[in-house]
């Protein structure tokens, strides 16, 4: 198995079990951090235990995202216990709960998930100030680990594609079967009152759960259906807002309930090597890993400051252009624009936690067109995306908003009012799809 781990902090191992602090990769199968922790447990002659902390201060925590996450975690717990790996759930603040668990259990080493987003980076820094045992991080999100595919922020898909492609041969291999994780000794793991947890959390409960089954098994079902019914038309249908041509895997990928590696391997094995397969792998691997690269190397990933220089200049040059329509964040949120297509997309987002990819582009571009400044537009788009999208709070979301509003990963286009050289998008194409 190719190494996806790196040592974040050296230290003196404690006397207790190896701890996998699971955070972003909420699954058992095809989880390289879990396999790495299991390998370390064998090396050190220790047992492995897993900890997950539910923190209601998590940025934009709400009932929709937490209900989906907690449903998935129930499946993780059952599977880990069948492998004699205890799964501890703690409710509280990260990293305090992780620190007190380590102090109590005297863990030997910690293995945890890679995440480029700032809250996770700062949690790890805090952790290093309080625990002095070795800490390893494993990238279970990207097929080629983010810090290996490139050592800088990439300009576009064109520049990162060859870097990832040349490493795929090394990394595109399945992980061992979960049975190889099985521990001899049965260790105690507490029972969990899942419904009680959800009730007790101090989160925004006005964003209601959606009717979508969570967890690795559900993700497999969605993947199988996509492969059987839709991938054969993916290249031509993925931009059609009226047909269901995409995989709908993004919530499962976002919560780490399925790994991109597993999805890619299955698609490669079961689908012919044609334009559809290529188009899907371009999104799943190149575009997704480009988004991770952006958030990893650009600390301003969710604001105007993170846009490319040419776009910032051009948007500022057009800041005083007259806007025919101007809306506040509240008007956008309540879908009170003059445009029925935009309002419909926003309404669906609020109710069902999702939006078609092509509509997301239109939605983001219009927020720029109808906001007082590009800076405000980015704030509005990120706020709505993170609050309502089930797959929000993700590098793909920050990158998608920055692509629409700030020309990220795009080239300068011909000049347009308000947009400057940032690519403009009208409603013609989508409207014609709606008429069909
Ligand atoms: C304004 C805006 C906001 C977005 N917000 C999010 C978000 O919060 N979370 C999110 O996961 N994606 C986001 N995207 C990217 C993309 O729209 C979604 O990933 C896609 O619509 C998810 O549907 P799917 O799983 O059926 O995609 P498919 O077309 O089946 O693609 C498979 C997977 O490839 C990845 N992918 C697809 N398109 C992109 C893309 N453009 N950039 C990066 N990765 C991609 C996703 O992981 C997706 O699940 C956003 C795009 C825009 C323009």
């Amino acid at each position: 198995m190719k190494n996806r781990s790196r040592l974040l902090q050296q230290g003196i191992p404690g006397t207790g079990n190896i701890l996998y602090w699971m955070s972003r990769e909420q699954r058992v199968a095809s989880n390289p951090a879990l396999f790495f922790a299991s390998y370390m447990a064998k090396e050190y002659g220790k047992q492995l235990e897993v900890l997950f902390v539910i923190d209601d201060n998590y940025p934009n925590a709400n009932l929709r995202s937490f209900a989906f996450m907690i449903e998935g975690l129930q499946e993780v717990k059952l599977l880990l216990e069948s492998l004699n790996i205890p799964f501890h759930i703690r409710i509280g603040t990260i990293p305090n709960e992780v620190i007190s668990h380590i102090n109590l259990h005297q863990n030997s080493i910690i293995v945890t998930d890679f995440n480029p987003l700032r809250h996770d980076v700062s949690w790890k820094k805090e952790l290093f100030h309080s625990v002095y045992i070795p800490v390893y991080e494993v990238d279970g999100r990207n097929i080629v680990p983010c810090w290996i595919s490139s050592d800088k922020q990439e300009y576009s898909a064109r520049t990162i594609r060859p870097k990832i492609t040349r490493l795929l041969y090394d990394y595109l291999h399945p992980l061992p079967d979960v049975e190889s994780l099985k521990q001899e000794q049965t260790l105690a793991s507490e029972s969990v009152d899942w419904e009680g947890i959800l009730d007790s959390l101090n989160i925004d409960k006005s964003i209601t759960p959606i009717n979508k089954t969570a967890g690795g098994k559900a993700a497999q079902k969605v993947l199988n259906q996509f492969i059987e019914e839709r991938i054969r038309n993916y290249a031509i249908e993925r931009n059609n807002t009226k047909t269901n041509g995409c995989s709908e895997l993004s919530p499962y990928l976002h919560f780490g309930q399925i790994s991109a590696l597993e999805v890619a391997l299955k698609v490669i094995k079961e689908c012919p090597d044609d334009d559809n397969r290529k188009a899907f792998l371009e999104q799943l691997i190149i575009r997704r890993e480009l988004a991770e690269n952006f958030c990893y190397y650009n600390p301003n990933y969710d604001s105007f400051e993170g846009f490319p220089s040419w776009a910032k200049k051009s948007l500022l040059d057009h800041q005083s252009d007259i806007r025919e329509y101007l809306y506040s964040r509240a008007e956008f949120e309540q879908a009170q624009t003059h445009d029925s297509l935009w309002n419909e997309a926003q309404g669906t987002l609020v109710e069902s936690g999702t939006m078609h990819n092509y509509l997301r582009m239109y939605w983001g571009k219009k927020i720029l067109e109808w906001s007082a400044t590009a800076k405000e537009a980015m704030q509005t788009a990120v706020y709505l995306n993170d609050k309502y999208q089930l797959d929000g709070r993700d590098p793909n979301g920050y990158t998608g908003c920055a692509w629409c509003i700030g020309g990220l990963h795009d080239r300068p286009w011909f000049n347009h009012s308000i947009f400057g050289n940032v690519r403009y998008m009208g409603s013609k194409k989508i409207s014609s799809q709606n008429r069909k």
Side-chain angles (χ1 to χ4, degrees), residues 226 234 238 245-251 253-254 280 282-289 291 354-365 381 385-386 389-404:
F226 172 62
Y234 182 81
R238 73 172 288 267
C246 297
S247 70
E248 301 188 324
L249 279 168
S250 57
L253 288 163
H254 168 71
F280 180 72
E282 168 73 13
Q283 300 305 319
L284 179 78
I285 304 177
I286 307 298
R287 299 283 164 171
R288 211 178 42 81
E289 301 200 359
T354 188
M355 195 188 288
H356 188 281
N357 174 57
Y358 203 66
L359 270 178
R360 291 193 207 213
M361 295 191 232
Y362 180 73
W363 175 89
K365 291 282 182 194
N385 201 72
D386 277 357
Q389 292 281 12
L390 187 57
D391 62 17
R393 308 153 306 281
D394 190 283
N396 284 352
Y398 304 120
T399 305
C401 292
W403 179 87
C404 288

Side-chain angles (χ1 to χ4, degrees), residues 50 92 97 107 122 146 164 232 242 265 281-282 289 301 309 323 405 419 421 432:
V50 182
E97 288 298 325
N107 295 101
S122 77
C146 194
I164 293 180
R232 70 183 76 103
K242 287 288 135 191
L265 287 168
L281 294 179
E282 168 73 13
E289 301 200 359
Y301 55 76
S309 314
R323 271 96 172 133
I405 296 162
F419 286 73
N421 297 116
S432 70

Side-chain angles (χ1 to χ4, degrees), residues 307-360:
F307 298 168
S309 314
W310 65 263
K312 279 193 278 200
K313 181 178 179 311
S314 185
L315 288 164
L316 286 174
D317 287 348
H318 286 266
Q319 189 144 297
S320 48
D321 288 0
I322 291 170
R323 271 96 172 133
E324 197 181 347
Y325 302 99
L326 205 54
Y327 299 110
S328 65
R329 177 191 283 190
E331 285 168 320
F332 279 120
E333 187 162 11
Q334 288 154 26
Q336 286 173 354
T337 77
H338 64 285
D339 179 335
S340 58
L341 179 59
W342 195 95
N343 293 345
E344 200 188 313
Q346 171 64 18
T348 311
L349 171 61
V350 170
E351 261 186 28
S352 65
T354 188
M355 195 188 288
H356 188 281
N357 174 57
Y358 203 66
L359 270 178
R360 291 193 207 213

Side-chain angles (χ1 to χ4, degrees), residues 133-180:
I133 59 176
V135 182
Y136 288 87
E137 182 179 64
V138 181
D139 188 349
R141 182 64 46 136
N142 296 288
I143 293 177
V144 179
C146 194
W147 58 85
I148 291 180
S149 58
S150 171
D151 59 3
K152 59 170 199 261
Q153 183 186 330
E154 290 296 333
Y155 183 74
S156 67
R158 182 179 53 79
T159 62
I160 205 172
R161 193 178 296 110
K163 296 186 179 182
I164 293 180
T165 309
R166 82 167 164 259
L167 289 165
L168 276 183
Y169 183 78
D170 290 339
Y171 287 95
L172 210 46
H173 301 289
L175 267 60
D177 194 83
V178 293
E179 280 302 312
S180 65

Side-chain angles (χ1 to χ4, degrees), residues 42-301:
K42 284 170 195 148
E43 284 285 296
Y44 279 72
K46 301 277 182 190
Q47 295 290 306
L48 165 66
E49 62 184 25
V50 182
L51 170 70
F52 191 93
V53 181
I54 300 176
D55 182 348
D56 47 17
N57 286 314
Y58 191 90
N60 295 295
N62 62 45
L63 190 57
R64 174 171 296 168
S65 53
F66 270 43
F68 192 80
M69 179 179 85
I70 284 175
E71 198 183 322
L73 289 175
Q74 296 179 45
E75 195 184 292
V76 171
K77 187 168 196 293
L78 289 176
L79 192 46
L80 284 176
E81 284 169 3
S82 75
L83 300 165
N84 293 332
I85 302 171
F87 188 39
H88 307 286
I89 295 280
R90 296 275 175 273
I91 320 293
T93 319
I94 305 174
N96 299 3
E97 288 298 325
V98 183
I99 295 164
S100 45
H101 183 97
I102 293 165
N103 288 339
L104 188 67
H105 296 264
Q106 294 298 303
N107 295 101
S108 313
I109 64 164
I110 316 171
V111 177
T112 192
D113 298 322
F114 163 76
N115 187 339
L117 300 185
R118 73 173 70 83
H119 59 270
D120 192 89
V121 174
S122 77
W123 286 337
K124 282 177 188 146
K125 279 190 189 142
E126 263 186 73
L127 184 71
F128 302 154
H129 286 130
S130 308
V131 299
Y132 307 104
I133 59 176
V135 182
Y136 288 87
E137 182 179 64
V138 181
D139 188 349
R141 182 64 46 136
N142 296 288
I143 293 177
V144 179
C146 194
W147 58 85
I148 291 180
S149 58
S150 171
D151 59 3
K152 59 170 199 261
Q153 183 186 330
E154 290 296 333
Y155 183 74
S156 67
R158 182 179 53 79
T159 62
I160 205 172
R161 193 178 296 110
K163 296 186 179 182
I164 293 180
T165 309
R166 82 167 164 259
L167 289 165
L168 276 183
Y169 183 78
D170 290 339
Y171 287 95
L172 210 46
H173 301 289
L175 267 60
D177 194 83
V178 293
E179 280 302 312
S180 65
L181 295 165
K182 193 156 189 164
Q183 304 198 115
E184 296 283 305
Q185 203 180 324
T186 314
L187 297 172
S189 125
E190 313 87 19
S191 64
V192 178
D193 170 14
W194 297 104
E195 271 186 31
I197 290 181
L198 211 46
D199 288 344
S200 73
L201 294 173
N202 184 19
I203 49 178
D204 182 351
K205 294 190 174 146
S206 66
I207 318 298
T208 49
I210 55 152
N211 188 16
K212 202 177 198 113
T213 314
K217 282 189 201 139
Q220 290 294 340
K221 204 170 153 195
V222 171
L223 173 61
N224 290 340
Q225 261 181 2
F226 172 62
I227 288 177
E228 279 159 29
E229 296 166 14
R230 304 195 297 280
I231 198 169
R232 70 183 76 103
N233 293 320
Y234 182 81
I236 42 165
E237 292 295 347
R238 73 172 288 267
N239 281 339
N240 188 341
T241 58
K242 287 288 135 191
T243 55
N244 175 22
C246 297
S247 70
E248 301 188 324
L249 279 168
S250 57
Y252 301 100
L253 288 163
H254 168 71
F255 286 95
Q257 295 174 358
I258 194 165
S259 81
L261 174 67
E262 198 181 345
V263 175
L265 287 168
K266 192 158 182 154
V267 164
I268 290 168
K269 186 168 169 227
E270 298 190 13
C271 303
D273 186 8
D274 62 7
D275 287 351
N276 294 306
R277 178 165 110 178
K278 277 192 208 114
F280 180 72
L281 294 179
E282 168 73 13
Q283 300 305 319
L284 179 78
I285 304 177
I286 307 298
R287 299 283 164 171
R288 211 178 42 81
E289 301 200 359
L290 179 63
E292 296 270 320
N293 166 279
F294 171 56
C295 293
Y296 183 55
Y297 288 111
N298 191 326
N300 297 316
Y301 55 76

